Amino acid sequence: MAPPVKNAVRAAAAPTEEWSSQPEVTAAHPPKNAAGDGDRRPISTVLIIIAMQTEALPLVNKFHLSEDIDGSLFPKGVPWVRYHGIYKELHINLVWTGKDSILGVDSIGTISASLVSYASIQALKPDLIINAGTAGGFKAKGACVADVYLVSNVAFHDRRIPIHVIFFCVNYLYGIGARQTFSTPNLIDELNLKVGKLSTGDSLDMSPQDEVLILANDAVVKDMEGAAVAYVADLLSVPAIFIKAVTNTVDGQKSIAEEFLQNLIAVCTTLAQTVSQVVDFISGVYQIIGIRKSTSVYRKLYINTDEYYILKIMYQFA
């Protein structure tokens, strides 16, 4: 994904007095799933998709976001809530799926996640999606309560389509919907994040049939939205990363629901800290390597090493 272009970096490495004399530095090949119509642009607009109010509020407070009161961004009658603001030169949009209009509970699950993802991408045109939330973890895979994972792969575990022998394999693969997430090796190294696979389904508990597919998915964590967000992001060609904090162990001795509720608030605080670090990493690249943004390219002001690659500069994660 990120071919070396050291010569171009080396040529632009020496600082000069005049801004206008700096060469323009662009990526030869933008990421395959970059937002837009192939235009090369820095990450400017970040969309954070969250399913629960308890997960959302610590981030709203951390980034000092304001609620979109007029509600004109989304269709009339939907419960979705958008918070927005500027944080370290990034346009942050946090969209929470809101409360069910009849029952008053969080609109969790794949249906709401899919709808919100589609509508938010269409309205906000984000450069990057962060799906942040809580998840169950598997002790057998090394997951513990309060661990935070950056997800490497997503898949569904409750979409079983056992029809017609000839097309069984195709239907099975479609139902599983396995996808690799946007690769972020430098982010993982910088923040020392745990990495694991995520399996998504519309139930908090785990039926025997779910368990078989979750094991087949090699999942470390289990949630109710991630693979749905990934599907829409992939459909609309927007890079997406997934940050999941463990509230409960799925294969432990305690009740899943009781452990989830017991740890929810504390784990959401931990989740917010990690998401904040990720956003700081994205914005902090500008200060670390001394570059400025223009509409479609970066102009490099100063670099004290020739080991950077252009794509690392352009897209932070490469």
Side-chain angles (χ1 to χ4, degrees), residues 110-258:
T110 59
I111 296 175
S112 291
S114 297
L115 289 170
V116 160
S117 298
Y118 179 81
S120 298
I121 292 171
Q122 293 295 97
L124 300 169
K125 311 298 183 188
D127 302 305
L128 176 71
I129 294 171
I130 301 175
N131 175 223
T134 54
F138 290 87
K139 291 176 64 177
K141 294 286 188 179
C144 300
V145 171
D147 283 349
V148 182
Y149 282 85
L150 189 66
V151 174
S152 60
N153 300 76
V154 299
F156 293 97
H157 58 254
D158 61 355
R159 302 203 311 179
R160 296 176 287 274
I161 315 173
I163 55 173
H164 207 293
V165 175
I166 296 176
F167 298 107
F168 175 80
C169 184
V170 176
N171 288 321
Y172 174 82
L173 293 175
Y174 172 77
I176 295 298
R179 285 175 172 78
Q180 184 175 352
T181 63
F182 191 62
S183 180
T184 59
N186 291 332
L187 175 65
I188 293 167
D189 290 343
E190 180 71 21
L191 301 185
N192 194 27
L193 296 171
K194 288 192 169 187
V195 179
K197 296 180 180 180
L198 170 70
S199 194
T200 297
D202 274 307
S203 298
L204 181 67
D205 63 2
M206 182 173 65
S207 71
Q209 287 179 305
D210 288 345
E211 184 175 10
V212 170
L213 288 179
I214 290 171
L215 292 173
N217 290 340
D218 194 27
V220 179
V221 285
K222 164 189 174 294
D223 84 336
M224 298 176 65
E225 292 86 23
V229 176
Y231 170 78
V232 178
D234 189 48
L235 199 65
L236 300 180
S237 300
V238 183
I241 62 176
F242 301 80
I243 303 171
K244 300 295 173 177
V246 177
T247 50
N248 57 276
T249 51
V250 183
D251 54 349
Q253 299 300 316
K254 295 182 180 180
S255 161
I256 291 176
E258 288 180 8

Side-chain angles (χ1 to χ4, degrees), residues 5-182:
V5 283
K6 294 184 181 179
N7 292 338
V9 177
R10 189 177 292 113
T16 60
E17 295 181 0
E18 296 296 328
W19 161 255
S20 60
S21 66
Q22 297 301 315
E24 292 189 347
V25 181
T26 63
H29 301 288
K32 181 180 178 182
N33 55 349
D37 299 323
D39 56 327
R40 303 186 190 106
R41 57 183 181 183
I43 294 174
S44 175
T45 300
V46 177
L47 169 62
I48 304 173
I49 297 175
I50 286 185
M52 298 182 66
Q53 188 177 38
T54 308
E55 298 166 341
L57 291 182
L59 286 169
V60 171
N61 294 331
K62 168 62 182 177
F63 297 132
H64 304 290
L65 305 179
S66 301
E67 184 175 348
D68 189 354
I69 303 297
D70 63 18
S72 60
L73 190 70
F74 298 127
K76 184 178 179 180
V78 300
W80 313 330
V81 181
R82 174 202 179 210
Y83 300 92
H84 60 96
I86 304 294
Y87 179 79
K88 296 185 177 180
E89 298 188 50
L90 293 174
H91 296 266
I92 305 293
N93 293 277
L94 187 152
V95 179
W96 163 47
T97 51
K99 299 282 189 181
D100 182 86
S101 58
I102 297 175
L103 300 176
V105 297
D106 285 306
S107 301
I108 59 178
T110 59
I111 296 175
S112 291
S114 297
L115 289 170
V116 160
S117 298
Y118 179 81
S120 298
I121 292 171
Q122 293 295 97
L124 300 169
K125 311 298 183 188
D127 302 305
L128 176 71
I129 294 171
I130 301 175
N131 175 223
T134 54
F138 290 87
K139 291 176 64 177
K141 294 286 188 179
C144 300
V145 171
D147 283 349
V148 182
Y149 282 85
L150 189 66
V151 174
S152 60
N153 300 76
V154 299
F156 293 97
H157 58 254
D158 61 355
R159 302 203 311 179
R160 296 176 287 274
I161 315 173
I163 55 173
H164 207 293
V165 175
I166 296 176
F167 298 107
F168 175 80
C169 184
V170 176
N171 288 321
Y172 174 82
L173 293 175
Y174 172 77
I176 295 298
R179 285 175 172 78
Q180 184 175 352
T181 63
F182 191 62

